[in-house]
Amino acid sequence: MKIYTRTGDRGQTSLFAGGRVSKGHLRLHAYGTVDELNTILGLAAAAGVGGSVAAPLARVQAELFTIGADLATPLDAQPKWLVRATAEMTGRLEAEIDAWQAALPELRSFILPGGTLGGASLHQARTVCRRAERWLVMLQEQEPVNAEALRYLNRLSDWLFVAARAANHDAGTPEIPWQSPERG
């Protein structure tokens, strides 16, 4: 199987369940940013994120393929083989956030993104997740989308923040509180 098809050489691409759109379409920005997010999660995993975050991180990477497929398929296309984002997926994120929060020190100030390479990668992933969410909101303003995909991305950004904290905590790396610079 060849990796290139030449079908996109004029700035068009095929959607998952058929049809073609411009490579500049909001839909492609949304699912392309989800793909970028997934690669950053792969970087976090490769950096050795372990402890309580490792298994959920692997599951979230798989779920992001579901989100990407959902976003790559217009809502009115209903192929029988397509799996879309569900409330159960979002619920799992919420349960993990709650469990990590219960085990972490209370947050009393803003913290600087960083820590271990894995923790810092999760912080970066959070910002990319927010960008994917913004693209999806813009797409939703033009055409119907699966509302659960939007809820999932919104919750995932919270999950990534707490996962970064948990990964750094599991590694014994302290958080650095943000301090306002003194004004002269």
Side-chain angles (χ1 to χ4, degrees):
M1 175 179 166
K2 286 188 175 183
I3 193 70
Y4 61 90
T5 63
R6 297 185 178 130
T7 61
D9 290 351
R10 294 191 176 167
Q12 297 274 312
T13 193
S14 296
L15 295 177
F16 203 38
R20 293 184 65 76
V21 295
S22 165
K23 289 185 179 185
H25 194 283
L26 290 173
R27 181 173 298 285
L28 272 77
H29 283 288
Y31 74 72
T33 306
V34 167
D35 188 33
E36 179 184 356
L37 168 60
N38 208 347
T39 64
I40 295 169
L41 295 184
L43 177 63
V49 167
S52 64
V53 179
L57 179 60
R59 188 201 72 246
V60 164
Q61 281 197 275
E63 288 175 348
L64 285 175
F65 270 91
T66 298
I67 298 295
D70 193 336
L71 300 181
T73 308
L75 200 55
D76 60 356
Q78 297 293 324
K80 292 180 181 179
W81 44 263
L82 179 67
V83 178
R84 294 201 183 262
T86 65
E88 291 76 22
M89 291 166 56
T90 305
R92 280 191 295 272
L93 296 176
E94 291 172 348
E96 288 160 351
I97 290 169
D98 293 345
W100 285 328
Q101 287 274 94
L104 289 168
E106 182 181 349
L107 201 56
R108 298 181 182 270
S109 66
F110 290 111
I111 57 170
L112 298 178
T116 63
L117 181 57
S121 296
L122 292 170
H123 279 295
Q124 180 186 16
R126 176 187 52 79
T127 66
V128 173
C129 185
R130 286 286 189 209
R131 182 165 19 99
E133 181 183 7
R134 291 190 302 271
W135 283 118
L136 185 51
V137 166
M138 287 189 284
L139 175 62
Q140 177 183 271
E141 291 170 354
Q142 292 190 0
E143 58 187 84
V145 298
N146 179 0
E148 200 55 52
L150 183 57
R151 279 191 281 279
Y152 182 89
L153 289 177
N154 184 38
R155 206 69 75 250
L156 181 59
S157 62
D158 298 329
W159 184 95
L160 289 163
F161 176 76
V162 180
R165 291 191 68 215
N168 287 331
H169 184 264
D170 290 349
T173 302
E175 295 171 324
I176 301 171
W178 172 76
Q179 296 179 8
S180 176
E182 294 181 7
R183 297 177 188 243

